């Protein structure tokens, strides 16, 4: 028969070794099962702590290895390299790069609330500096660790074989010390993570003691004893909402702030001193570098210098030096907002319960600890009971032997071997007659046992007799044996009583907890501050006072009490005088209450609201603080208008907006009462449009729009119906091709003034606003909204297009700014008054390659006797009861 040739590849694939088998599996199922197996292995063996001792396997093995090396608190420190080697050799074969950092973390006081390792040498710092190599550092167990390991050899825990099955290791520790509750734990597993915060030992001990008696204690009562986490680095927890969430559900978020004090140097320089850091925030990389970065980015403009004066003796001391005139409170708030001096700690209370990960509330964590301690106490007591019973049993045999010592000696002398002697002792019955010379000394319990029939010795008792020395056969030995036996009987009865009474077990739990508190409890480090971040009502901390607020053309703001602006002597001049940078000047000034709101409108149609007291108070000569540091502006976004508001509900006032494309929108002022710090949309703009101006109106005012090509339209505000806050508006003026709005003017009812128009080439004119009315048979009237308007100024030829329009009186002064930075001040009454549709006169001489870009009214305070007499920023009037 001829063999049929086969493909060798197909033959090898189809063959199955002897005794083997093939199983067809779906690859999706195999991957899912293998991944779940790997994930659970990571969760159980590496990342999550056991709820009983609060340790992850790597931490537990290091402490057990140190216990094997007898590195107790009273012993000398030992090289960390030896500890790591012992751990790796016997328990944790994952390399020194995994073991040594774990050891270091348990010795760093800024990471571990109650240290488990007593260190010696360079173990790093919060800066963060790395620790020295393990060959240079030394360690031993801390006193807290001895409480974790106490009773380990008393059969209190379960044991398992190590990785190579040469020795056994504990699955968990007896943990008299509530490590998980007081030190917390942080770990990242596959698909889950734990982040349990540390707590104060004294508070946790109080809660444990209370919950032993009242296991159904309500969260409110529990938080009276444990108000919140207690971080090793101290700090301030803002609010209790996140704490309540975490304690009730196992998950929550708390905001932690650094502790900052304000100091003043003898030279009057303001300092901010950081004495405590948020938990898990490094000093150099986390805080100092971030502060310097924000200074470079012009976010923190009032900080002059940052100096780290921390030392081992003085502790944490980070000095932030402020510039002169800076408001320390405002800078402190900026530091919280812009740097890690305020951070969020996420609480995820996941721990292993009987090998399974579970999310636990605070009360559940405490209950599991109490249940663990009850189990440890029962097992310890049962072990001690067994040991006492065995010893009592052995001593019973010795007492029988000493009472009949002559017979014991005879049996031993007649025996040829040790085994024969043991057997003869076990075969002979022993009893103590009532008339025996030692009978008065023998416990009644033993006399009763042998009263009816002789007692046969067990092998243990017989072997103990065989080990007796001749010197122990003297008559006084019976007294020593009886005393030991009585003590053991007393212990046995005590242990049996404990095991029979759950109340006795609970009392031991409470006694041991009270002992822990007396030995190790310390003061709380972390302060819990009422009020969530963002909800802290600073207005309640700020007194109500009248202040003057000034804002410069380049956006620097400051406030100071109105009294600072009064004359110093009768008949003198005022004392205001700010040292502005060259080219800058005060453009807005108003008197307001510190509790008033300031609306800030940007060219992108957004509005922000800040409180007046949030503007830093500064000296008269200070330039102030950049307003952009107080607002969450986007890149290249500019503030177009400022409007102080004392009450959004007073009167029937409106805000009227005008855009570059000629749209206007009128909205009730009260619609902007809920503006938040992040800003909201004040007017919806198209992509190619921008906000040009905002004014408040009283309902019957006239509005005038001026355009770049010299057109102007005056109409009644009522022509623009009231719209919602997010509306886009309606047409205010019909613009010719290429034209755009450059200014928005309010003409209050019955108050006529002049319209100042300035062109880019430096020409301008003043025209009475009455000339922009339409003359009709029934009198002068405004135009209708949406028309083309009337010619305001000729823009052809020398003038060029319009740069700005302003409403002025003869007493006003103006500042003209050119493209190349030229700034010229002119008095309004020096500009000739002419009619509409004229060319005007030269106002400013500029170079051929330059042009006027903007015109601002000057709020020049140096000549003022009283700030209240100065032109104020456009804002609704206050009610009579405030005046």
């Amino acid at each position: 028969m001829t063999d049929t040739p086969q493909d060798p590849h197909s033959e090898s694939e189809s063959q199955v070794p002897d005794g083997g088998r093939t199983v067809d599996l779906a690859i999706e199922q195999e991957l899912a099962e293998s991944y779940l197996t790997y994930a659970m292995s990571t969760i159980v063996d590496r990342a999550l702590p056991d709820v009983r001792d609060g340790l992850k396997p790597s931490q537990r093995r290091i402490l057990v290895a140190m216990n094997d090396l007898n590195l107790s608190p009273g012993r000398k420190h030992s090289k960390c390299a030896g500890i790591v080697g012992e751990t790796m050799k016997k328990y944790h074969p994952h390399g020194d790069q995994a073991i040594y950092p774990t050891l270091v973390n348990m010795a760093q006081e800024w990471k571990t609330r109650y240290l488990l390792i007593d260190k010696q040498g360079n173990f790093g710092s919060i800066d963060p500096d790395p620790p020295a190599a393990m060959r240079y550092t030394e360690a031993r167990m801390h006193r807290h660790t001895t409480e974790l390991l106490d009773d380990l050899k008393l059969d209190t825990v379960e044991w398992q074989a190590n990785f190579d099955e040469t020795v056994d290791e504990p699955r968990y520790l007896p943990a008299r010390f509530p490590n998980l509750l007081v030190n917390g734990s942080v770990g990242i597993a596959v698909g889950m993570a734990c982040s349990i915060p540390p707590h104060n030992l004294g508070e946790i001990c109080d809660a444990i003691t209370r919950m032993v008696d009242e296991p159904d204690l309500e969260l409110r009562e529990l938080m009276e004893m444990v108000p919140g986490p207690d971080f090793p680095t101290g700090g301030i927890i803002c609010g209790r909402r996140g704490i309540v969430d975490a304690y009730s559900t196992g998950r929550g978020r708390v905001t932690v702030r650094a502790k900052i004090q304000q100091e003043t140097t003898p030279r009057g320089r303001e300092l901010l001193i950081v004495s405590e850091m948020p938990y898990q925030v490094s000093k150099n990389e986390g805080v100092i570098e971030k502060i310097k970065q924000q200074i470079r980015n012009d976010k923190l403009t009032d900080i002059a210098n940052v100096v780290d004066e921390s030392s081992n003796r003085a502790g944490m001391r980070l000095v932030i030096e402020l510039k002169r005139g800076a408001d320390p409170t405002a800078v402190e708030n900026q530091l919280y907002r812009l740097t890690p001096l305020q951070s969020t700690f996420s609480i995820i209370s996941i721990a292993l319960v009987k090998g399974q990960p579970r999310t636990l509330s605070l009360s559940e964590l405490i209950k599991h600890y109490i249940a663990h301690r009850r189990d440890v106490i029962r097992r310890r007591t049962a072990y001690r009971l067994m040991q006492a019973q065995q010893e009592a049993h052995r001593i019973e045999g010795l007492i029988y032997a000493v009472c009949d010592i002559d017979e014991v000696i005879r049996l031993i002398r007649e025996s040829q071997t040790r085994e024969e002697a043991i057997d003869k002792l076990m075969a002979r019955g022993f009893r103590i007659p009532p008339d025996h010379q030692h009978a008065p000394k023998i416990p009644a319990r033993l006399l009763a046992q042998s009263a009816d029939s002789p007692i046969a010795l067990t092998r243990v008792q017989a072997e103990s007799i065989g080990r007796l020395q001749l010197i122990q056969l003297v008559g006084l030995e019976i007294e020593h044996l009886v005393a030991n036996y009585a003590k053991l009987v007393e212990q046995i009865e005590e242990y049996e009583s404990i095991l029979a009474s759950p109340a006795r077990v609970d009392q031991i739990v409470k006694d041991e907890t009270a002992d822990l508190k007396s030995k190790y409890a310390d003061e709380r480090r972390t302060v819990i501050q009422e009020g969530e971040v963002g909800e802290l009502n600073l207005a309640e901390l700020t007194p109500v006072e009248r202040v003057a607020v000034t804002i410069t053309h380049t956006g620097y703001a400051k406030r100071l009490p109105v009294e600072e602006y009064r004359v110093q002597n009768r008949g003198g001049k005022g004392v205001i005088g700010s040292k502005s940078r060259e080219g800058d000047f005060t453009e807005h000034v108003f008197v307001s209450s510190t509790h008033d709101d300031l609306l800030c409108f940007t060219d992108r149609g957004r509005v922000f609201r800040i409180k007046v007291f949030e503007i830093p108070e500064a000296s008269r000569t200070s330039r102030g603080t950049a307003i952009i540091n107080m607002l969450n502006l986007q890149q290249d976004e500019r503030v177009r208008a400022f409007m102080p508001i004392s009450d959004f509900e007073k009167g029937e006032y409106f805000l009227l907006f005008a855009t570059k494309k000629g749209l206007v929108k009128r909205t009730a002022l009260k619609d902007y009462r809920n503006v938040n710090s992040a800003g909201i949309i004040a007017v919806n703009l198209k992509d190619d449009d921008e906000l040009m101006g905002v004014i408040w109106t009283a309902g019957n005012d006239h509005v005038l729009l001026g355009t770049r090509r010299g057109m102007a339209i005056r109409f009644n505000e009522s022509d623009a119906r009231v719209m919602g806050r997010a509306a886009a508006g309606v047409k205010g003026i019909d613009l010719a091709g290429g034209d755009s709005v450059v200014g928005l003017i309010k003409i209050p009812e019955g108050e006529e003034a002049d319209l100042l128009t300035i062109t880019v080439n430096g020409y301008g004119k003043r025209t009475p606003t009455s000339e922009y009315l339409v003359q009709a048979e029934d009198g002068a009237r405004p135009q209708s909204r949406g028309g083309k308007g009337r010619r305001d100024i000729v823009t052809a030829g020398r003038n060029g297009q319009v740069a700005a329009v302003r409403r002025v009186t003869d007493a006003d002064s103006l500042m003209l700014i050119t493209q190349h930075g030229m700034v010229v001040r002119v008095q309004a009454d020096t500009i000739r008054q002419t009619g509409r549709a004229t060319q005007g006169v030269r106002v400013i001489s500029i170079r051929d390659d330059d042009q006027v870009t903007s015109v601002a009214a000057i709020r020049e305070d140096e000549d003022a006797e009283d700030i209240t007499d100065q032109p104020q920023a456009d804002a609704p009037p206050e009610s009579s009861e405030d005046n």
Side-chain angles (χ1 to χ4, degrees), residues 207-269:
I208 291 171
T209 302
R210 179 85 176 273
M211 287 197 69
V212 168
D213 296 327
E214 303 177 52
D216 297 327
L217 195 66
E218 294 184 357
L219 180 62
R220 175 183 55 80
E221 297 175 286
L222 182 59
M223 289 189 64
E224 292 176 359
M225 294 172 286
V226 187
D230 188 23
F231 298 112
T233 53
I236 301 170
I237 295 177
C238 301
R240 299 180 185 270
R241 182 182 303 163
I243 300 175
V244 172
D245 292 342
Y247 285 179
S248 59
T249 67
R251 292 178 179 269
R253 292 161 60 91
V254 295
T255 300
V256 186
R257 284 180 167 179
K259 188 173 290 185
I260 301 178
Q261 293 89 28
Q262 298 179 9
E263 293 184 6
T264 304
T265 65
R267 296 184 177 182
R269 183 64 63 94

Side-chain angles (χ1 to χ4, degrees), residues 562-685:
V562 172
E563 290 74 14
E564 294 288 335
Y565 291 89
R566 303 291 181 179
V567 293
Q568 293 178 331
N569 297 304
R570 184 180 299 276
K573 291 189 176 181
V575 293
I576 300 174
S578 61
K579 293 183 179 179
S580 301
R581 287 185 176 181
E582 184 177 355
D584 198 8
F585 52 88
T586 302
E587 185 173 1
H588 305 278
V589 59
F590 55 88
V591 175
S592 181
S593 166
T594 50
H595 286 217
D596 285 352
D597 296 292
L598 180 63
L599 296 183
C600 308
F601 300 90
T602 74
D603 56 354
R604 298 188 182 178
R606 298 201 297 164
V607 58
F608 297 85
R609 183 177 70 173
I610 60 175
K611 286 290 187 179
V612 170
F613 63 72
E614 293 177 0
I615 299 174
E617 185 173 334
S619 65
R620 295 190 308 270
T621 58
S622 171
R623 182 176 51 151
T625 301
I627 198 75
I628 60 172
N629 291 336
M630 308 175 203
L631 307 177
N632 187 21
L633 297 178
Q634 300 172 356
Q635 188 174 2
D636 298 329
E637 188 174 13
R638 296 176 299 168
V639 180
R640 286 289 192 191
F642 299 94
M643 191 173 296
I645 305 293
S646 60
D647 190 344
F648 286 90
E649 303 293 342
K650 280 185 195 172
E652 292 296 329
Y653 298 125
F654 304 91
L655 295 183
L656 193 139
F657 302 83
T659 75
K660 182 178 179 180
K661 294 297 183 181
L663 297 180
V664 294
K665 188 191 78 163
R666 190 165 64 115
T667 304
L669 174 64
K670 61 184 179 182
D671 288 356
Y672 295 89
R673 61 185 177 274
N674 294 324
V675 178
N676 53 41
S677 59
I680 62 173
I681 298 297
V683 57
N684 262 321
L685 300 175

Side-chain angles (χ1 to χ4, degrees), residues 711-860:
M711 301 300 293
I713 185 172
R714 175 175 175 175
F715 58 89
N716 196 304
E717 66 165 292
S718 59
D719 285 359
R721 61 182 177 86
V722 178
M723 300 181 177
R725 180 180 56 79
V730 295
K731 183 181 291 188
I733 185 172
D734 186 7
L735 297 174
D739 201 1
S740 61
V741 173
V742 294
L744 168 66
I745 304 298
K746 179 179 74 173
I747 305 175
E749 186 178 14
E751 296 184 20
E752 298 294 337
D754 289 343
L755 177 67
L756 172 70
T757 306
I758 301 293
T759 67
V760 295
N761 291 336
Y763 292 87
K765 68 177 181 69
R766 286 190 302 145
T767 303
T769 53
S770 59
E771 292 200 16
Y772 298 88
L773 295 171
V774 177
Q775 300 298 325
E777 295 181 355
D778 54 352
R781 60 172 178 80
Q783 292 181 268
S784 297
R785 174 191 59 81
K788 293 186 176 295
R790 314 185 77 185
R791 174 61 61 182
D792 171 33
I793 192 171
V794 176
T795 56
R798 64 169 194 179
N799 281 2
Q801 296 184 334
V802 175
V805 293
R806 293 287 184 270
R807 178 177 177 269
V808 297
T809 65
D810 290 345
D812 291 336
S813 58
L814 306 165
M815 197 73 80
L816 281 65
I817 303 99
T818 73
Q819 190 175 32
H820 290 174
M822 179 179 173
V823 180
V824 176
R825 174 181 175 176
V826 297
Q827 201 67 26
D829 60 2
T830 63
I831 302 174
R832 192 174 68 185
Q833 187 181 65
T834 63
R836 286 189 311 101
T838 59
Q839 287 189 329
V841 297
R842 180 179 294 276
V843 178
I844 177 176
S845 297
I846 58 176
R847 297 185 306 182
D848 293 341
D849 59 345
D850 201 1
Q851 59 181 240
V852 177
T853 57
S854 63
V855 178
I858 301 177
R859 308 307 184 195
E860 196 66 65

